[in-house]
Amino acid sequence: MDRLAAEDERPVRQRLLDAGERLFAAHGWNGVSIRTLAAEADVTLSALNYHFGEKENLLAEIFAARAAPIAAERMRLLGKIEAKGAPTLEAIIQAFLRPALTVDKQFGGAPFVKLRARLATEPEAFSRRILARAFDQSSGAFIKALQAVLPGLPAADLAWRFHFLLGAMSYTMANPGRIQSLTGGACDPGDTELALAHLVPFAAAGFRAAPVRRPRRRTKQ
Amino acid sequence: MDRLAAEDERPVRQRLLDAGERLFAAHGWNGVSIRTLAAEADVTLSALNYHFGEKENLLAEIFAARAAPIAAERMRLLGKIEAKGAPTLEAIIQAFLRPALTVDKQFGGAPFVKLRARLATEPEAFSRRILARAFDQSSGAFIKALQAVLPGLPAADLAWRFHFLLGAMSYTMANPGRIQSLTGGACDPGDTELALAHLVPFAAAGFRAAPVRRPRRRTKQ
DNA sequence: GTCTATAGCTGGATAGAC
DNA sequence: GTCTATCCAGCTATAGAC
């Protein structure tokens, strides 16, 4: 974009956004102080405060910069496959997952994948709000698209299955290392293409399962 | 003040364990201080330190008290269904999930479900270690059982699918509220029996999908 | 075993010079 | 816009009386 920035270093704002992305992803919201953040970006504490004000703003701006392109890419892919006629279930799921898991789009994208997954289970209310604002609209569009190719599936069942898809996706993005620990490192959730190749058919089969009859209520204390 | 000490109130240790379970589940490891913990348990800061030493010990002991019964119940259920002959895929998955999701076993179990899910994505290394020590053995047994009923599935595919199951399970236990936000509250992951009724067939269908042919490598570094 | 008191830090955020 | 200096609330952990 701006070639004029042929200066020695990248602008302060950008250095802070990058450092925040990387450190929040690695240590969580409460795990990194604005002092550490500033030091990592080679910036004074006051400079951070000048540019972003309170800590929450930094996270919000990191998120704003990355989430919109992901949501846009999702919609673009969905539009593309729908333009070719009735899409397959697999194609829809892939259009949903790929932009979230793919990291090689822009420099610095990889930490964001982890950051986003971390944010999903972060207890702070404002992180939920950030997430909802960023993705509710595009996710809603995908639920509609899924409903169209699964006409026999009740809306509630679809919602549950979409929820499970989000869980499998988040867990893969967060990569907590459980599966490496269980298989001696045989499978690596960090391999994006391989993760997609496995998750898409797994989820598709799940979505195609017969609808669930509502179970009888268990006696509850 | 105290007439025979342990009559009027529950012991200090137990009050601290309960408070820790609830507060760590709600706010995460870094989100709650030992001061808050002590106040919540109606105990002084020093009493906490006397009983548990450093903060990490409290979490470790909370976990030790709950995880073992869950793993044991899993193994008991697995043994029970295997005793009746070759178990179904659904029965195995249910035996794995139910003890993790069920909360009405003992007083105070509900917060632990959330705590455990939170711990799975916590960045601290020691929380991963706690989790691995608690569940690696029983999870290994379930992977074996799954392999037995899915003889045609390569081990790598099975590992990936087990990983996705863990993700869907964790996400449901953590209940980050995404699906309520997307469906206007129509589906509630906090309803254990309903969650099981939906997750078991979803995962079973995923496990039964055809094995994945290893995709061509994308250009990568 | 339980208390009060406090040491010794680190946290987020700001003031005001330049 | 960027700095140094600072405020002060909050943190973990310990000391020492009872």
Side-chain angles (χ1 to χ4, degrees):
Chain A
M1 297 293 187
D2 51 14
R3 309 264 310 191
L4 288 177
E7 300 274 82
D8 268 18
E9 294 179 328
R10 326 183 38 222
V12 169
R13 272 186 66 91
Q14 195 55 48
R15 293 212 309 273
L16 282 166
L17 289 171
D18 290 346
E21 195 166 57
R22 196 171 64 254
L23 292 181
F24 284 139
H27 306 112
W29 168 253
N30 279 318
V32 51
S33 68
I34 56 174
R35 297 178 121 89
T36 308
L37 241 10
E40 186 75 10
D42 204 18
V43 153
T44 62
L45 188 56
S46 305
L48 189 159
N49 208 268
Y50 172 79
H51 286 286
F52 294 97
E54 60 178 19
K55 195 182 175 186
E56 291 193 6
N57 279 357
L58 176 57
L59 181 61
E61 295 209 28
I62 289 167
F63 215 82
R66 299 271 183 212
I70 290 178
E73 175 68 0
R74 274 182 174 162
M75 296 310 290
R76 191 186 71 80
L77 290 176
L78 183 59
K80 194 171 131 192
I81 60 176
E82 281 180 337
K84 292 196 269 186
T88 64
L89 176 56
E90 280 80 358
I92 296 173
I93 295 172
Q94 174 127 205
F96 183 76
L97 292 175
R98 182 175 286 281
L101 294 174
T102 293
V103 299
D104 48 10
K105 281 262 154 194
Q106 301 162 272
F107 161 74
F112 183 74
V113 173
K114 205 163 192 172
L115 170 58
R116 191 188 147 198
R118 190 88 73 208
L119 219 61
T121 56
E122 206 78 45
E124 326 291 337
F126 82 95
S127 66
R128 314 280 187 91
R129 247 179 293 123
I130 288 177
L131 214 56
R133 207 173 314 140
F135 293 116
D136 270 10
Q137 197 187 2
S138 70
S139 289
F142 273 82
I143 290 179
K144 274 215 177 67
L146 289 168
Q147 236 147 12
V149 296
L150 296 165
L153 194 66
D157 290 60
L158 184 75
W160 275 100
R161 291 168 190 194
F162 191 75
H163 162 87
F164 298 141
L165 174 60
L166 289 181
M169 178 188 82
S170 268
Y171 202 70
T172 300
M173 298 194 312
N175 192 1
R178 289 292 297 136
I179 197 65
Q180 293 93 318
S181 163
L182 280 166
T183 61
C187 101
D188 171 22
D191 184 336
T192 306
E193 287 303 321
L194 197 52
L196 272 172
H198 278 101
L199 180 48
V200 170
F202 178 87
F207 274 108
R208 286 202 183 95
V212 170
R213 285 194 315 135
R214 222 194 129 86
R216 233 194 315 276
R217 230 60 198 75
R218 282 222 162 182
T219 51
K220 203 78 181 240
Q221 27 174 335
Chain B
M1 280 290 271
D2 41 298
R3 58 201 87 166
L4 227 59
E7 273 276 324
D8 268 21
E9 295 180 329
R10 328 190 31 228
V12 170
R13 271 186 66 92
Q14 193 56 47
R15 293 213 308 273
L16 282 166
L17 289 170
D18 290 346
E21 195 167 57
R22 197 170 63 255
L23 292 180
F24 284 139
H27 306 113
W29 168 254
N30 279 319
V32 51
S33 68
I34 57 174
R35 296 173 116 88
T36 309
L37 241 10
E40 187 74 11
D42 204 18
V43 154
T44 62
L45 189 56
S46 305
L48 189 159
N49 208 269
Y50 172 80
H51 286 286
F52 294 98
E54 60 178 20
K55 195 181 176 186
E56 290 192 6
N57 278 357
L58 177 58
L59 181 61
E61 295 210 28
I62 291 168
F63 215 80
R66 298 273 183 212
I70 290 178
E73 175 69 0
R74 275 182 173 162
M75 296 308 292
R76 191 187 70 81
L77 290 176
L78 183 59
K80 194 171 132 192
I81 59 176
E82 281 180 336
K84 292 196 269 187
T88 64
L89 176 56
E90 280 79 359
I92 296 173
I93 295 172
Q94 174 127 203
F96 183 77
L97 292 175
R98 182 176 286 281
L101 294 174
T102 293
V103 298
D104 48 10
K105 282 260 154 196
Q106 301 162 272
F107 160 74
F112 182 74
V113 173
K114 205 162 191 171
L115 171 57
R116 191 188 147 197
R118 190 87 73 205
L119 219 60
T121 55
E122 206 79 44
E124 326 291 336
F126 82 95
S127 65
R128 313 280 186 89
R129 248 179 293 124
I130 289 177
L131 214 56
R133 207 173 315 141
F135 292 116
D136 270 10
Q137 196 187 4
S138 71
S139 289
F142 274 82
I143 289 179
K144 273 214 176 67
L146 289 168
Q147 235 147 14
V149 297
L150 296 164
L153 195 65
D157 289 61
L158 184 75
W160 275 101
R161 290 168 191 195
F162 191 75
H163 162 87
F164 298 141
L165 174 60
L166 289 180
M169 179 189 82
S170 267
Y171 202 70
T172 300
M173 298 194 312
N175 193 0
R178 290 290 298 137
I179 197 64
Q180 293 93 319
S181 162
L182 281 167
T183 61
C187 101
D188 172 22
D191 185 336
T192 306
E193 286 302 323
L194 198 52
L196 271 171
H198 277 101
L199 180 48
V200 171
F202 178 87
F207 273 107
R208 286 202 182 94
V212 171
R213 284 195 314 136
R214 221 192 130 85
R216 234 191 315 278
R217 229 59 197 71
R218 282 223 162 182
T219 53
K220 198 87 183 234
Q221 28 168 269

